[in-house]
Amino acid sequence: MDNNVELHQKKDLDKTNSEHEHTWQAELDEIQLRQQYAEKLGGEKNIKRQHDSGKLTSRERIHSLLDEGSFHEYGALTGKANYDQDGNFIDSIPSNIVIGKGKIKKQKVVVSADDFTVRGGSSEAASPEKMVFAENLALDLQAPLIRLVDAAGGSIRLLEKNQSTKIPGYAQWNMAEMMGQIPVIGVALGPCAGLGALRVVASHFSVMVKGTSQVFAAGPQVVAPGVKENVTKEELGGSQVHVHKSGAVHNEAKDEYDALNQVKKFLSYLPSNIYKLPARIPSSDPIDRCEDELASIIPRDKRKVYKMRKVLELIFDKDSLFEMRKHYGRSTITMFGRINGYPVGIMANDPYIYGGSMSAESAEKIENFVDLCDTFHLPIVNLVDQPGVSIGSQAEAKGTIKKAIRAMMTLSQVNIPWSTVFIRRSFGVAGAAYAPRGRANVRYAWPSAHWGSIPVEGGVEAAFRKELGNAEDPEQKLKDLIDYYKRFESPLRTAERFGIEEMIDPRRTRPILAEWVEEAYDQLPQLVGPRGRTMRI
Amino acid sequence: MALTEVTVEITGSIWKIEVSEGVQVEEDDTLIIMESMKMEIPLLSPVSGTVKELKVKEGDSVSEGEVAVIIEG
C-alpha cells in the first residue's frame, strides 16, 4: 500500500485507540477495503503476466518515478464494483488509470499511469474523466505532467457499454495551453494506439522503451483490413520507426527504469512552469577549467571532420549533458547541459552527418528545440559549424529550404539570452540562422572559424565557370583563384570591421560561457511568463 | 545472425573504402569515407560484426539512403 495512505490511516483512523466504535466506522472500513482492491490492480495473475513481458505495473512505475512516499492518489476508488443482493459491497475492479500528485527531487509533479493488468488497458475499463482530471490538475497546480502510457486504445465494445457513440475528444482538455505553461512528458510503456499515441507524442519530451512499446494511430489489427498491410506492432510503430525515422518520439530507452530516469533527468533542467526559473545545481567542475585539447580539436585540413560531442564534453560541466532526439535530424545536436551549474539549451552541428548541414529533419528539430527552450526560459548556447542548407535534388524535394526558413523564423522570435560560438563554418541561408535578430547578443569565434554567403571552394567554380573553361590549365587556374580568394577568409579580417565581437582562444570557451551564463540568469527574472509567437511560413 | 544494412547519409561519391569483405568491425569504426560538400565524411558502422558485403566501390556516385555495406553480427 502507498506509504501516504498508510500514514493517514495509522495517524488518525485507528479505531483501537478509541473507547467505542465511531459513528461512521462501517463506511471508514469500507473505504479502506475499497482502497485495498485499488492496490491489487488486475490481480496476481495479470500482474505476473505483465512482469513476464518485461513490464512493470502502473503502481510500480509511479513508485520508481517519484520520491519515496510522496505519492498522493486521487480517484483510487474509481472502478466497477460488485454488490450482493442487499446492495452490500463485495469487491471491485479498479479503472485502468492511476492518477495523483507527487514529487521528483522535491519538485511537485502530476502523474497519470495506465494499467495494462486491468482488462489489457482497454478503454472499456478506462476512466476518461480521471485522465482529463490529471491533465487539468497539472495545469491548475502549475506542475509538470508525466503520462505513463500503456493502453490499447478504443474498443468497439464501448458502444454496447454506453448504448451510444460519442464524438471523439474531450472538451475540458486543452493540450495546446498546457504546452505553453508546464512541462509535459509522454512515456510509451506498451502499445500506445490512437489516444494513447496522442498522449505520448503531444509533449515536450517523449521516450519509448525499445522492444516493449509501440506508438501508432492504429494497431496492426486495424491496419491489416484498412490498408491491406500485414505488419507487426514493432514494424508499424516501434522505436526503430518513431525514434530513428519519423522523429515522432524523442528518445529510446533500453528498459522501463531507463525511460523513467530519462524523465527525471529531463525535468532537472526545467522550471515547474513558465513563471519560475530553471534551478541551478552547484557544480564541482571548476569554471576556469581550460582544456588544452580544444586548441587542436578542429583539423586545419578543411576536408577533415571531428567529433562535436567531444567538444561539448570538454566545455560544459562534467556529466551534465542530456541529449534529445539523437537519432533524428542528426546533422544538428540538441542537448540540455549545465555551465557553472546553470541549465542551458545547447545546439551544435555534427560534421559527420550531411557535413553538419541543415536538413529538413534537423530544421524541424531546431524549431522544436528552440521553442522548448524559449517556452521555459532556458538560455541557449549555439556552437556553429554550419555549411549551409542541405543541397541536391532529394533535399529540394523535401522542401528543405522552407523548413530551414521556419527554423530561422523560430530563432528570430525568441526572448531568451543567447550565446553563439563560431567553431568552424557558417555559410549561406542556414549560416544566417544562428541567433535571434535585433537583440544584443555576444558572438564569439574560434580561430578556425570562417564564413560567408558561399564557401571559396565551390564558390570559385560557380563564379568563374567560363574563365576556367577557357583556361589553358583549368586545374592550375582554379587553384590560383582559390588561393587568391582564401586570403580574404581569415576571421581576423572580419574582426577588423567589427563583424564579430570577440575572437577567443578555444580553451577559454568554458570560462567565457560561465561569465555569460551568470549575466543570462540575471536577465531571466524579467523574461518569465507566457510567450507569444507570430505565424511562421 | 542479424544483417544490418548501412546506408549512406548524404549524396556524394565514395572516396575511400576502409574495410574489405570478411573483416571484423566494431561499432563506430569507419567503413567508408564519402566525399561530399567538399569534405571527407566517414560512414561509421552502427553495429559490431563482420563485413558481409560491400555494395559500392571507390569513385561511385551514391544518393542518400543507398545501401553501401552489409554487416553481419
Coordinates of all heavy atoms in Angstrom, one line a residue, chain A residues 301-305 307 330 351-357 361 385 387-391 394-395 398 424-425 457-458 461, chain B residues 7-11 15-16 27-30 33-44 46 62-66:
Chain A
D301 N 43.1 20.9 -41.9 CA 42.6 20.5 -43.2 C 41.1 20.5 -43.2 O 40.4 19.8 -42.5 CB 43.1 19.0 -43.5 CG 42.6 18.5 -44.9 OD1 41.8 19.2 -45.5 OD2 43.1 17.5 -45.2
K302 N 40.5 21.4 -44.0 CA 39.1 21.6 -44.0 C 38.3 20.4 -44.5 O 37.0 20.4 -44.2 CB 38.7 22.8 -44.9 CG 39.1 24.1 -44.3 CD 38.6 25.2 -45.2 CE 39.1 26.6 -44.7 NZ 39.0 27.6 -45.8
R303 N 38.9 19.5 -45.1 CA 38.2 18.3 -45.6 C 38.0 17.3 -44.4 O 37.2 16.4 -44.6 CB 39.0 17.6 -46.7 CG 39.0 18.4 -48.0 CD 39.9 17.8 -49.0 NE 39.6 16.3 -49.3 CZ 38.7 15.9 -50.1 NH1 38.0 16.7 -50.8 NH2 38.6 14.6 -50.3
K304 N 38.7 17.5 -43.3 CA 38.6 16.5 -42.2 C 37.6 16.9 -41.2 O 37.4 18.1 -40.9 CB 40.0 16.4 -41.5 CG 41.1 16.1 -42.4 CD 41.2 14.6 -42.7 CE 42.4 14.3 -43.6 NZ 42.3 13.1 -44.4
V305 N 36.9 15.9 -40.7 CA 35.9 16.1 -39.7 C 36.4 15.9 -38.3 O 37.5 15.4 -38.1 CB 34.6 15.3 -39.9 CG1 33.9 15.7 -41.2 CG2 34.9 13.8 -40.0
K307 N 34.9 15.2 -33.8 CA 33.7 14.8 -33.1 C 33.2 16.0 -32.2 O 33.8 16.4 -31.2 CB 34.1 13.6 -32.2 CG 34.6 12.5 -33.0 CD 34.0 11.1 -32.6 CE 34.2 10.1 -33.7 NZ 34.3 8.7 -33.3
R330 N 20.0 14.2 -37.5 CA 21.3 14.0 -36.8 C 22.4 15.0 -37.1 O 23.4 15.1 -36.5 CB 21.8 12.6 -37.0 CG 20.8 11.6 -36.5 CD 21.4 10.2 -36.5 NE 21.7 9.8 -37.9 CZ 22.7 9.0 -38.2 NH1 23.5 8.5 -37.2 NH2 23.0 8.7 -39.4
P351 N 29.5 17.4 -37.9 CA 30.0 17.3 -39.3 C 30.0 15.9 -39.9 O 30.1 15.8 -41.1 CB 31.5 17.8 -39.2 CG 31.8 17.8 -37.7 CD 30.5 17.8 -37.0
Y352 N 29.8 14.9 -39.1 CA 29.8 13.5 -39.6 C 28.5 13.2 -40.4 O 28.5 12.3 -41.2 CB 29.8 12.5 -38.4 CG 31.3 12.1 -38.0 CD1 32.0 13.0 -37.3 CD2 31.8 10.9 -38.3 CE1 33.3 12.7 -36.9 CE2 33.1 10.6 -37.9 CZ 33.8 11.5 -37.2 OH 35.1 11.1 -36.8
I353 N 27.5 14.0 -40.1 CA 26.2 13.8 -40.8 C 25.9 14.9 -41.7 O 25.8 16.1 -41.3 CB 25.0 13.7 -39.7 CG1 25.4 12.7 -38.6 CG2 23.7 13.2 -40.4 CD1 25.6 11.3 -39.0
Y354 N 25.7 14.6 -43.0 CA 25.5 15.6 -44.0 C 26.5 16.8 -43.9 O 26.1 17.9 -44.3 CB 24.1 16.3 -43.9 CG 22.9 15.4 -44.1 CD1 22.1 15.0 -43.0 CD2 22.6 14.9 -45.4 CE1 21.0 14.2 -43.2 CE2 21.5 14.1 -45.6 CZ 20.7 13.7 -44.5 OH 19.6 12.9 -44.7
G355 N 27.7 16.5 -43.4 CA 28.6 17.6 -43.2 C 28.2 18.6 -42.2 O 28.8 19.7 -42.0
G356 N 27.1 18.2 -41.4 CA 26.6 19.2 -40.4 C 25.5 20.1 -41.0 O 25.1 21.0 -40.3
S357 N 25.1 19.9 -42.2 CA 24.2 20.9 -42.8 C 22.8 20.8 -42.3 O 22.5 19.9 -41.6 CB 24.3 20.7 -44.4 OG 23.7 19.5 -44.7
E361 N 14.9 17.5 -41.7 CA 14.7 16.9 -40.4 C 15.4 17.8 -39.3 O 14.8 18.0 -38.2 CB 15.2 15.5 -40.3 CG 14.4 14.5 -41.2 CD 14.9 14.5 -42.6 OE1 15.9 15.2 -42.9 OE2 14.2 13.8 -43.4
D385 N 28.9 25.1 -36.7 CA 29.8 24.7 -37.8 C 28.8 24.3 -38.9 O 28.5 23.2 -39.1 CB 30.6 23.5 -37.3 CG 31.5 23.0 -38.5 OD1 31.5 23.6 -39.5 OD2 32.2 22.0 -38.3
P387 N 27.6 24.3 -42.6 CA 28.0 24.5 -44.0 C 26.9 25.1 -44.9 O 27.1 25.5 -46.0 CB 28.4 23.1 -44.5 CG 27.6 22.2 -43.6 CD 27.4 22.9 -42.3
G388 N 25.6 25.0 -44.4 CA 24.5 25.6 -45.2 C 23.3 24.6 -45.2 O 23.3 23.6 -44.5
V389 N 22.3 25.0 -45.9 CA 21.1 24.2 -46.1 C 21.5 23.0 -46.9 O 22.3 23.2 -47.9 CB 20.0 25.0 -46.7 CG1 18.8 24.1 -47.0 CG2 19.5 26.2 -45.8
S390 N 21.0 21.8 -46.6 CA 21.3 20.6 -47.4 C 21.0 20.9 -48.9 O 20.0 21.5 -49.2 CB 20.6 19.4 -46.9 OG 21.0 19.0 -45.7
I391 N 21.9 20.4 -49.8 CA 21.7 20.7 -51.2 C 21.4 19.4 -52.0 O 21.7 18.3 -51.5 CB 22.9 21.4 -51.8 CG1 24.2 20.7 -51.6 CG2 23.0 22.8 -51.2 CD1 25.4 21.3 -52.3
Q394 N 17.3 15.6 -53.8 CA 16.5 15.0 -52.7 C 16.1 16.0 -51.6 O 15.0 16.0 -51.1 CB 17.3 13.8 -52.0 CG 17.2 12.5 -52.8 CD 18.1 11.5 -52.3 OE1 19.2 11.8 -51.8 NE2 17.7 10.2 -52.3
A395 N 17.1 16.9 -51.3 CA 16.9 17.9 -50.3 C 15.8 18.9 -50.8 O 14.9 19.3 -50.0 CB 18.2 18.6 -50.0
K398 N 12.2 17.6 -50.5 CA 11.7 17.6 -49.2 C 11.3 19.0 -48.7 O 10.8 19.2 -47.6 CB 12.7 17.1 -48.2 CG 12.9 15.6 -48.2 CD 13.9 15.2 -47.1 CE 14.3 13.8 -47.2 NZ 15.4 13.5 -46.2
R424 N 33.6 26.6 -36.6 CA 34.2 26.4 -37.9 C 33.5 27.2 -39.0 O 33.6 28.3 -39.2 CB 34.3 24.9 -38.2 CG 35.5 24.6 -39.1 CD 35.5 23.1 -39.5 NE 36.9 22.7 -39.9 CZ 37.2 21.5 -40.3 NH1 36.2 20.6 -40.3 NH2 38.4 21.1 -40.6
R425 N 32.6 26.5 -39.7 CA 31.9 27.1 -40.9 C 30.6 27.8 -40.6 O 29.9 27.4 -39.6 CB 31.7 26.1 -42.0 CG 32.9 25.4 -42.5 CD 32.6 24.0 -43.1 NE 31.9 23.2 -42.1 CZ 31.3 22.0 -42.3 NH1 31.3 21.6 -43.6 NH2 30.8 21.3 -41.4
E457 N 35.8 27.4 -51.9 CA 35.8 26.2 -52.7 C 34.3 26.0 -53.1 O 33.5 26.0 -52.3 CB 36.3 24.9 -52.0 CG 37.7 25.0 -51.4 CD 37.8 25.5 -50.0 OE1 36.8 26.2 -49.6 OE2 38.8 25.3 -49.3
G458 N 34.1 25.8 -54.4 CA 32.7 25.7 -54.8 C 32.2 27.0 -55.4 O 31.7 27.1 -56.5
E461 N 34.3 28.0 -58.4 CA 33.9 27.2 -59.6 C 32.6 27.8 -60.2 O 32.5 27.8 -61.4 CB 33.7 25.7 -59.2 CG 35.0 25.0 -59.1 CD 35.0 24.0 -58.0 OE1 34.9 24.4 -56.8 OE2 35.1 22.8 -58.3
Chain B
T7 N 23.4 2.4 -44.7 CA 23.0 3.3 -45.8 C 23.9 4.6 -45.7 O 24.2 5.1 -44.6 CB 21.5 3.7 -45.8 OG1 21.2 4.2 -44.5 CG2 20.7 2.5 -46.0
V8 N 24.1 5.2 -46.9 CA 24.9 6.4 -46.9 C 24.0 7.6 -46.5 O 22.8 7.6 -46.7 CB 25.6 6.7 -48.3 CG1 26.5 5.6 -48.7 CG2 24.6 7.0 -49.4
E9 N 24.6 8.5 -45.8 CA 23.8 9.6 -45.1 C 23.6 10.8 -46.1 O 22.9 11.6 -45.8 CB 24.6 10.1 -43.9 CG 25.0 9.0 -42.9 CD 24.0 8.7 -41.9 OE1 22.9 9.3 -42.0 OE2 24.2 7.8 -41.1
I10 N 24.4 10.8 -47.1 CA 24.5 12.0 -47.9 C 24.8 11.7 -49.3 O 25.6 10.8 -49.6 CB 25.5 13.0 -47.3 CG1 25.5 14.4 -48.0 CG2 26.9 12.4 -47.3 CD1 26.3 15.4 -47.2
T11 N 24.3 12.4 -50.2 CA 24.6 12.3 -51.7 C 26.0 12.8 -51.9 O 26.4 13.8 -51.4 CB 23.5 13.1 -52.5 OG1 22.2 12.5 -52.2 CG2 23.8 13.0 -54.0
W15 N 34.8 8.0 -51.7 CA 36.2 8.5 -51.8 C 37.2 7.4 -51.5 O 38.2 7.1 -52.2 CB 36.4 9.7 -51.0 CG 37.7 10.4 -51.2 CD1 38.2 11.0 -52.3 CD2 38.8 10.5 -50.2 NE1 39.5 11.5 -52.1 CE2 39.8 11.2 -50.8 CE3 38.9 10.1 -48.8 CZ2 41.0 11.5 -50.1 CZ3 40.1 10.4 -48.2 CH2 41.1 11.1 -48.8
K16 N 36.9 6.7 -50.4 CA 37.9 5.7 -49.9 C 37.1 4.6 -49.2 O 36.2 4.9 -48.4 CB 38.9 6.3 -49.0 CG 40.2 5.7 -49.0 CD 41.1 6.3 -48.0 CE 42.2 7.2 -48.6 NZ 43.1 7.8 -47.6
E27 N 31.5 -1.3 -33.5 CA 30.5 -0.1 -33.6 C 31.3 1.1 -33.7 O 32.3 1.3 -32.9 CB 29.6 -0.1 -32.4 CG 28.5 0.9 -32.5 CD 27.5 0.9 -31.3 OE1 27.4 -0.2 -30.6 OE2 26.9 1.9 -31.1
D28 N 30.9 2.1 -34.5 CA 31.6 3.4 -34.7 C 32.9 3.3 -35.5 O 33.6 4.3 -35.6 CB 31.8 4.1 -33.4 CG 30.6 4.9 -32.9 OD1 29.7 5.0 -33.8 OD2 30.5 5.3 -31.8
D29 N 33.3 2.1 -36.0 CA 34.5 2.1 -36.8 C 34.1 2.7 -38.2 O 33.0 2.6 -38.6 CB 34.9 0.6 -37.1 CG 35.8 0.0 -36.0 OD1 36.1 0.8 -35.0 OD2 36.2 -1.1 -36.1
T30 N 35.1 3.3 -38.8 CA 34.9 3.9 -40.1 C 34.9 2.8 -41.2 O 35.8 2.0 -41.3 CB 36.0 5.0 -40.5 OG1 35.9 6.0 -39.5 CG2 35.7 5.6 -41.8
I33 N 34.8 6.3 -46.5 CA 34.9 7.8 -46.4 C 34.2 8.3 -47.7 O 34.7 8.0 -48.8 CB 36.3 8.3 -46.2 CG1 36.9 7.7 -44.9 CG2 36.3 9.8 -46.1 CD1 38.3 8.1 -44.7
M34 N 33.2 9.1 -47.5 CA 32.5 9.7 -48.6 C 33.1 11.1 -48.9 O 33.7 11.7 -48.0 CB 31.0 10.0 -48.2 CG 30.2 8.8 -47.8 SD 29.3 8.3 -49.2 CE 28.5 9.7 -49.8
E35 N 33.0 11.5 -50.1 CA 33.3 12.9 -50.4 C 32.0 13.6 -50.8 O 31.3 13.2 -51.8 CB 34.3 13.0 -51.6 CG 34.8 14.4 -51.7 CD 35.9 14.6 -52.8 OE1 35.9 13.7 -53.7 OE2 36.7 15.5 -52.7
S36 N 31.7 14.7 -50.0 CA 30.5 15.4 -50.3 C 30.7 16.8 -49.6 O 31.4 16.9 -48.6 CB 29.3 14.7 -49.7 OG 28.1 15.4 -50.1
M37 N 30.1 17.8 -50.2 CA 30.2 19.1 -49.6 C 31.6 19.5 -49.4 O 32.0 20.2 -48.5 CB 29.4 19.2 -48.3 CG 28.1 18.6 -48.2 SD 26.7 19.7 -48.6 CE 26.8 20.9 -47.3
K38 N 32.5 19.1 -50.3 CA 33.9 19.4 -50.3 C 34.6 18.8 -49.0 O 35.6 19.4 -48.5 CB 34.2 20.9 -50.3 CG 33.6 21.6 -51.6 CD 34.5 21.4 -52.7 CE 33.9 22.1 -54.0 NZ 34.6 21.7 -55.2
M39 N 34.0 17.8 -48.4 CA 34.6 17.3 -47.2 C 34.7 15.8 -47.3 O 34.0 15.1 -48.1 CB 33.7 17.6 -46.0 CG 33.7 19.1 -45.6 SD 32.7 19.3 -44.1 CE 33.9 18.9 -42.9
E40 N 35.5 15.2 -46.4 CA 35.6 13.8 -46.3 C 34.7 13.4 -45.1 O 35.0 13.7 -44.0 CB 37.1 13.4 -46.0 CG 38.0 13.7 -47.1 CD 39.5 13.7 -46.7 OE1 39.8 13.1 -45.6 OE2 40.3 14.4 -47.3
I41 N 33.6 12.7 -45.4 CA 32.7 12.4 -44.4 C 32.7 10.9 -44.1 O 32.3 10.1 -45.0 CB 31.3 12.9 -44.7 CG1 31.3 14.4 -44.9 CG2 30.3 12.5 -43.7 CD1 30.1 15.0 -45.4
P42 N 33.1 10.4 -43.0 CA 33.2 9.0 -42.7 C 31.8 8.4 -42.5 O 30.9 9.1 -42.0 CB 34.0 8.9 -41.4 CG 34.6 10.3 -41.1 CD 33.7 11.2 -41.8
L43 N 31.6 7.2 -43.0 CA 30.4 6.4 -42.7 C 30.8 5.4 -41.7 O 31.6 4.6 -41.9 CB 29.9 5.8 -44.0 CG 28.6 4.9 -43.9 CD1 27.4 5.8 -43.5 CD2 28.4 4.2 -45.2
L44 N 30.1 5.5 -40.5 CA 30.5 4.7 -39.4 C 29.6 3.4 -39.3 O 28.5 3.5 -39.7 CB 30.4 5.5 -38.0 CG 31.2 6.8 -38.0 CD1 31.0 7.5 -36.6 CD2 32.6 6.6 -38.3
P46 N 27.1 1.1 -37.6 CA 26.2 1.3 -36.5 C 26.3 0.1 -35.5 O 25.7 0.2 -34.4 CB 24.8 1.3 -37.2 CG 25.0 0.6 -38.5 CD 26.5 0.7 -38.8
V62 N 26.8 8.1 -55.2 CA 25.7 7.4 -54.4 C 24.7 8.5 -53.9 O 25.1 9.7 -53.8 CB 26.2 6.7 -53.2 CG1 27.0 5.4 -53.6 CG2 27.2 7.5 -52.3
S63 N 23.5 8.1 -53.7 CA 22.5 9.0 -53.2 C 22.2 8.7 -51.8 O 22.3 7.5 -51.4 CB 21.2 8.9 -54.0 OG 21.4 9.2 -55.4
E64 N 21.7 9.7 -51.1 CA 21.3 9.5 -49.7 C 20.3 8.3 -49.6 O 19.4 8.1 -50.4 CB 20.5 10.7 -49.3 CG 20.0 10.7 -47.9 CD 19.1 11.9 -47.6 OE1 19.2 12.9 -48.3 OE2 18.3 11.8 -46.6
G65 N 20.6 7.4 -48.7 CA 19.7 6.3 -48.4 C 20.1 5.0 -49.1 O 19.5 3.9 -48.9
E66 N 21.1 5.1 -50.0 CA 21.6 3.9 -50.7 C 22.3 3.0 -49.7 O 23.1 3.5 -48.9 CB 22.5 4.2 -51.9 CG 21.8 4.3 -53.2 CD 22.8 4.6 -54.3 OE1 23.8 3.9 -54.4 OE2 22.6 5.5 -55.1

